[in-house]
């Protein structure tokens, strides 16, 4: 790789998540890290830079001196010009199926690593099928799915698979995830991506919904100790002693973890299922129907626009307050099945999962690509566990993220103090 002007470029710096990623890197990147910020509108980027510089005048990485790069995400020439100047791009510009393709192509051709927070697994699969061979030849790492969808499930399953191989000497067959506690907000960018994804991937996603609802996404073989893994989405979890309902990110997380399981050979027919804890069976049914109803409203442009008009959902660029994000948290319980054993994992975070934790995940992914590369990295277009797994896992643990595994259920501090909201 030729000498580059920058170590990391934050692409989409004026967005709700992008501006906070700039702030995160300024406060947490190693001294001397060369960070640039980019997007489509220079005046807006300058305003974000000035605001952050006034907020953090003594930041380790000077905000006021960050260079600005301008381009159009759908213009191939712009994306090549931008990608050629940096070692790593951290992109927050979605929906990625609309605004991400030219950037990925440019990064692959310009030999620039890239990470993003898309949850559009089918789009990532499409990029993998079309560009993976070239990315491997160029030794480029395109690491997608670096947000709350799908880092906890993805790296959680990696952690469990490695534990199963090293301590049980058996392949990992199935993981059942349960969101046992969560509080967080949602931004307009996320809702815009959801609406776009529902529109262009409805058939593929509907197959995933039906599989989750019927329980057919889990293995049909008899699990160890007589435990049942082939469960309908609304069910009573004997291990946790709590009812479970549909979780909106379960389909995306299931697709991502199964992909990683195939690439990393977790075990034959490895599968992942995920639900959300409810106070009782009625709440489990209600939350399941509520998610389906919201998806239906977001599917049609007319109802989606009505939600925007009524301020029922935020517009792109809008999101929760800093105070609300600091009050957020999440806790993911993992129950893992090998051929003869059952063991457990816990993944948790102490702030808003969709924003504060996601920014941390993406920021550390970018820093990992910039400074931690070694022979364990796998070039190509993959989920985090496949591309940079253990190095990123170490970074996140060092930043206070809980990723634990044991033979017994692991309590998390969030479980007892903060129940499902």
């Amino acid at each position: 790789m030729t000498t580059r002007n920058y170590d990391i470029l934050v692409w989409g710096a004026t967005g709700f998540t992008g501006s906070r990623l700039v702030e995160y890197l300024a406060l947490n990147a190693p001294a001397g890290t060369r960070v640039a910020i980019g997007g489509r509108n220079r005046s807006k980027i300058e305003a974000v830079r000035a605001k952050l510089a006034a907020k953090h005048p003594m930041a380790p990485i000077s905000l006021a001196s960050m260079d600005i790069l301008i381009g159009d995400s759908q213009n191939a020439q712009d994306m090549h010009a931008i990608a050629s100047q940096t070692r790593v791009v951290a992109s927050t510009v979605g929906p990625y199926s609309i605004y991400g393709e030219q950037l990925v192509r440019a990064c692959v051709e310009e030999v620039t690593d890239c990470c993003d927070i898309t949850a559009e697994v089918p789009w990532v699969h499409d990029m993998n099928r079309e560009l993976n061979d070239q990315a491997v030849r160029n030794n480029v790492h395109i690491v997608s799915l670096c947000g709350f969808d799908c880092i906890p499930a993805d790296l959680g399953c990696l952690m469990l698979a490695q534990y199963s191989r090293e301590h049980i000497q058996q392949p990992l067959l199935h993981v059942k995830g349960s969101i046992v506690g969560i509080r967080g907000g949602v931004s307009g960018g996320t809702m815009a991506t959801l609406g776009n994804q529902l529109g262009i991937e409805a058939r593929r996603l509907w197959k995933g919904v039906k599989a989750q609802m019927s329980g057919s996404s889990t293995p049909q073989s008899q699990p160890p100790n007589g435990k049942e893994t082939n469960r309908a989405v609304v069910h009573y979890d004997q291990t946790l002693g709590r009812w479970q309902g549909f979780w909106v990110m379960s389909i995306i997380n299931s697709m991502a973890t199964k992909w990683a399981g195939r690439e990393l050979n977790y075990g034959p027919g490895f599968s992942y299922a995920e639900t959300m804890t409810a106070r009782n069976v009625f709440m489990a049914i209600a939350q399941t129907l509520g998610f389906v109803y919201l998806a239906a409203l977001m599917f049609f442009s007319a109802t989606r626009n009505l939600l925007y008009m009524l301020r029922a959902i935020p517009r792109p660029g809008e999101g929760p307050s800093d105070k609300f994000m600091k009050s957020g948290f999440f806790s993911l319980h993992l129950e893992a099945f090998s051929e003869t054993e059952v063991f457990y994992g816990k993944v948790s975070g102490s702030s808003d999962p969709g924003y504060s934790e996601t920014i941390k995940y993406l920021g550390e992914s970018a820093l990992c690509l910039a400074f931690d590369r070694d022979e364990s990295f796998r070039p190509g277009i993959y989920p985090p566990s496949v591309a940079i797994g253990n190095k990123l896992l170490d970074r996140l643990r060092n930043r206070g993220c809980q990723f634990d595994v044991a033979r017994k259920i692991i309590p998390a501090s969030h479980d007892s103090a903060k129940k499902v909201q």
Side-chain angles (χ1 to χ4, degrees), residues 100-149:
E101 181 175 343
Q102 294 302 329
L103 176 61
V104 170
R105 289 183 182 279
C107 285
V108 170
E109 294 175 12
E110 298 292 343
V111 194
T112 300
D113 289 345
C114 182
C115 53
D116 63 51
I117 51 172
T118 184
E120 300 156 75
V121 178
W123 173 76
V124 181
H125 275 299
D126 291 342
M127 293 292 95
N128 173 274
R129 282 190 292 268
E130 186 172 349
L131 299 172
N132 195 69
D133 289 346
Q134 185 179 3
V136 172
R137 288 195 303 270
N138 291 351
N139 197 27
V140 172
H141 306 82
I142 306 295
V143 190
S144 288
L145 311 166
C146 292
F148 183 50
D149 33 67

Side-chain angles (χ1 to χ4, degrees), residues 261-310:
R262 291 191 301 271
E263 296 291 339
L264 298 175
N265 194 27
Y266 290 168
F270 170 77
S271 61
Y272 179 82
E274 195 172 75
T275 52
M276 182 176 180
T277 296
R279 293 187 179 92
N280 52 53
V281 64
F282 303 107
M283 289 296 293
I285 295 171
Q287 74 187 29
T288 300
L289 294 176
F291 282 130
V292 173
Y293 183 61
L294 175 61
L297 291 176
M298 290 299 296
F299 180 83
F300 299 102
S301 60
T303 52
R304 186 164 62 247
N305 290 334
L306 179 61
L307 292 176
Y308 284 134
M309 289 176 57
L310 296 175

Side-chain angles (χ1 to χ4, degrees), residues 13 18-23 37 47-57 59 63-64 66:
S19 62
R20 283 157 180 80
L21 177 61
V22 174
E23 182 178 27
I37 54 180
V48 167
R49 184 177 63 178
K51 180 180 179 180
L52 291 175
K55 182 179 179 181
H56 301 289
L63 285 151
M66 286 183 180

Side-chain angles (χ1 to χ4, degrees), residues 6-10 86-90 112-115 365-366 369-370:
Y6 312 107
D7 295 310
I8 299 172
L9 165 68
V10 176
T86 182
R87 296 170 57 223
V88 177
V89 176
T112 300
D113 289 345
C114 182
C115 53
S365 296
L369 286 168

